[in-house]
Amino acid sequence: MMKNLKKLLCFMIGMGTLYACSQMKTKDADSGMGSENAELKVSIDVKERTLSNGLKILVVENHKLPIFSYYTYFKVGGKYESPGITGSSHLLEHMMFKGGKKYGDKVFDKLVEGNGGRNNAYTTNDLTVYYQSLPSEHFEVMADLEADRMQNLLLQKDSFEKERKVVLEERRMRYENSDRGKLYLKMMKEVFKGTPYGLSVIGTVPDLKTVSRDQVWDYFKKYYAPNNAVIVIVGNVKADDVFDTIEKKFGEIAAVKGLEETKKKHIESMGYNFRKDFKQRIKLKGDSPTPTFTLAYKGLAIGSREAFALDLLSSMLGDGESSYFNQRFVSAKKATLLKIYAANYTLQDSGVLFIGGQLLEKVNLKTFEKKLRSEIKASCENGISARALQKVLNQYMVSNLTGLDTNEGIARFIGDKEVYYGDYNFYKKEMSIYNSITIDEVRDVCRKYLATDENMLITIWNKH
């Protein structure tokens, strides 16, 4: 099975731009000794350049098809906002599609879609990403469009007010009208209370109603700069031509002076320490006829060895039908839950590990809570095995690599590594780190982070 999987992944990767597949020893599912399981080592030929204004460009040539993908990472997200202007990064995500002064209002989408392309964007706590895919002959126009909106964004009052209403409706649908959305929003607010991650990425309702166009413009001018961005181009392009075009279009855009100091001061004014009264039980009123819950624990920032071990732990305990929690609560003869999951959410500067699920009818919430806490502590000894660890490692390998048969997948793969780890080459280390983590290490982080009373239980249903 594993040899066939390796051949399939090598074939898929070979269809794109990638390159080297080799077999290495990994841990046997039962003994922990070397076996013939395969770890794929992938090599991506990335060419890079940084302009004098700080803009970094990464290029991967892929001449299989006459198309390219263009990703722009702005290293700004919800954590750089303040009370009063929450949601500004997300509002700007919407406004950026209105384009810049050179091309005028609503031309951006027309040019992209009219030339057979597609475009989208997303905003997180840590960053904002814009991306397009088009036929290769339109690369120069795409670069010109991006340069136009980076330096001359149209933030017209009428459009701004329309998008304000759109975002308020989006928030209503995703959070106010969704029990799971309410749970997530409350978890982030309470777990990270007093820190930059405690602010809502989509924005609070009062802020979205009152933030002014001028305030959002000031936020844009502060953070949307070449020295706060990374451009990733993957597809049927020549790297030297890309560098020349980007230099021509972006080279004269001025860097924002003192940007790193501004960001540092903003973060230091709040810090990332978890609150002292972290241990809480919070009840929310919702629509679900049976309780839905989230049990949150203090987590870690992305990148540390313990954070990687927590990734493995959460997957072993709560990812899929064969996971420990699913077997104990959903598939058991006396099932108590309709569903359950576990996730380790690592952010750039902090993190949260959480377990969530929904109770079946006639299951008493207090009785279930006692059983859940007991099972979580027991899972550190009973839920972690070499076989489960190897299954998760195999899943990670497939998940990491199956997206690399597309230009978009490659662009996001190396772009994420560049922005989160400061080095696009980190992918060469990532799977090796996961493979080197032992069963004992996973048990240790389980005891340290899960077998504790320092957690926050949030429940929601229509009877609170």
Side-chain angles (χ1 to χ4, degrees), residues 227-285:
N227 52 322
N228 204 34
V230 175
I231 293 175
V232 185
I233 310 293
V234 179
N236 186 35
V237 295
K238 292 183 179 179
D240 289 341
D241 292 343
V242 169
F243 294 141
D244 289 345
T245 299
I246 298 296
E247 176 71 55
K248 181 172 66 175
K249 305 296 183 183
F250 290 83
E252 298 301 316
I253 302 177
V256 170
K257 295 180 179 179
L259 178 59
E260 289 306 313
E261 186 63 25
T262 297
K263 293 170 75 174
K264 184 179 178 182
K265 285 183 178 179
H266 174 82
I267 296 303
E268 288 180 346
S269 68
M270 302 178 78
Y272 287 104
N273 292 330
F274 290 107
R275 56 194 296 184
K276 293 180 180 179
D277 58 338
F278 190 91
K279 184 178 178 181
Q280 288 194 73
R281 196 178 190 285
I282 300 168
K283 299 178 180 180
L284 301 177
K285 180 72 173 179

Side-chain angles (χ1 to χ4, degrees), residues 115-397:
N115 286 310
R118 62 179 184 271
N119 67 108
N120 214 327
Y122 59 90
T123 307
T124 74
N125 299 85
D126 293 314
L127 50 85
T128 309
V129 183
Y130 301 84
Y131 55 99
Q132 305 85 29
S133 292
L134 290 101
S136 300
E137 63 264 28
H138 301 299
F139 171 71
E140 187 162 351
V141 172
M142 191 68 255
D144 205 36
L145 284 164
E146 286 287 20
D148 186 30
R149 68 180 183 176
M150 180 185 283
Q151 62 182 327
N152 297 309
L153 179 66
L154 280 177
L155 207 60
Q156 295 175 334
K157 289 184 179 179
D158 289 347
S159 294
F160 182 79
E161 291 305 322
K162 287 179 182 177
E163 292 308 312
R164 184 202 301 275
K165 293 177 182 178
V166 170
V167 173
L168 279 165
E169 178 64 15
E170 182 182 342
R171 181 191 161 102
R172 186 180 70 83
M173 294 299 294
R174 288 171 59 184
Y175 297 109
E176 273 72 23
N177 289 358
S178 165
D179 278 9
R180 188 163 181 176
K182 286 179 183 177
L183 267 180
Y184 175 77
L185 206 62
K186 188 65 173 178
M187 180 190 76
M188 294 297 289
K189 180 180 179 180
E190 295 299 330
V191 166
F192 296 112
K193 187 174 183 179
T195 83
Y197 289 138
L199 303 175
S200 171
V201 173
I202 200 169
T204 66
V205 172
D207 286 355
L208 289 172
K209 287 182 176 180
T210 60
V211 66
S212 70
R213 182 262 183 198
D214 289 342
Q215 285 176 305
V216 174
W217 176 251
D218 288 343
Y219 183 82
F220 174 79
K221 296 302 291 182
K222 184 185 293 185
Y223 292 112
Y224 290 72
N227 52 322
N228 204 34
V230 175
I231 293 175
V232 185
I233 310 293
V234 179
N236 186 35
V237 295
K238 292 183 179 179
D240 289 341
D241 292 343
V242 169
F243 294 141
D244 289 345
T245 299
I246 298 296
E247 176 71 55
K248 181 172 66 175
K249 305 296 183 183
F250 290 83
E252 298 301 316
I253 302 177
V256 170
K257 295 180 179 179
L259 178 59
E260 289 306 313
E261 186 63 25
T262 297
K263 293 170 75 174
K264 184 179 178 182
K265 285 183 178 179
H266 174 82
I267 296 303
E268 288 180 346
S269 68
M270 302 178 78
Y272 287 104
N273 292 330
F274 290 107
R275 56 194 296 184
K276 293 180 180 179
D277 58 338
F278 190 91
K279 184 178 178 181
Q280 288 194 73
R281 196 178 190 285
I282 300 168
K283 299 178 180 180
L284 301 177
K285 180 72 173 179
D287 299 317
S288 173
T290 61
T292 299
F293 71 91
T294 293
L295 184 61
Y297 294 81
K298 297 176 183 179
L300 297 169
I302 194 169
S304 71
R305 189 172 179 85
E306 280 194 334
F308 283 116
L310 286 174
D311 287 342
L312 296 171
L313 173 66
S314 66
S315 295
M316 292 166 72
L317 296 182
D319 186 6
E321 292 183 4
S322 63
S323 67
Y324 179 78
F325 289 152
N326 194 82
Q327 293 296 313
R328 301 297 292 177
F329 296 108
V330 179
S331 301
K333 289 183 179 180
K334 293 185 178 180
T336 52
L337 295 181
L338 176 65
K339 58 185 175 182
I340 191 168
Y341 59 88
N344 185 41
Y345 187 20
T346 51
L347 296 154
Q348 200 163 33
D349 298 289
S350 190
V352 55
L353 193 154
F354 58 99
I355 300 162
Q358 184 174 4
L359 276 66
L360 291 170
E361 290 184 8
K362 299 181 180 180
V363 175
N364 181 272
L365 179 57
K366 288 186 177 180
T367 302
F368 167 75
E369 180 186 344
K370 185 177 180 180
K371 181 181 179 182
L372 173 65
R373 293 183 183 280
S374 175
E375 285 289 356
I376 289 172
K377 291 182 179 180
S379 71
C380 297
E381 312 306 324
N382 304 329
I384 300 167
S385 68
R387 184 176 294 279
L389 175 57
Q390 190 60 59
K391 182 198 75 172
V392 169
L393 289 171
N394 292 345
Q395 289 172 339
Y396 281 18
M397 181 178 67

Side-chain angles (χ1 to χ4, degrees), residues 54-57 72-75 150 223 225-231:
L55 178 63
K56 188 163 190 176
I57 310 110
T72 304
Y73 284 76
F74 284 102
K75 292 183 276 189
M150 180 185 283
Y223 292 112
N227 52 322
N228 204 34
V230 175
I231 293 175

Side-chain angles (χ1 to χ4, degrees), residues 78-87 199 207 219 266 270:
K79 72 181 181 186
Y80 290 107
E81 297 163 5
S82 303
I85 63 165
T86 61
L199 303 175
D207 286 355
Y219 183 82
H266 174 82
M270 302 178 78

Side-chain angles (χ1 to χ4, degrees), residues 45-69:
D45 185 12
V46 181
K47 296 177 175 64
E48 63 176 297
R49 183 172 297 179
T50 302
L51 304 187
S52 59
N53 59 12
L55 178 63
K56 188 163 190 176
I57 310 110
L58 304 177
V59 181
V60 178
E61 296 184 14
N62 177 15
H63 303 292
K64 298 289 184 181
L65 295 171
I67 55 177
F68 73 97
S69 290

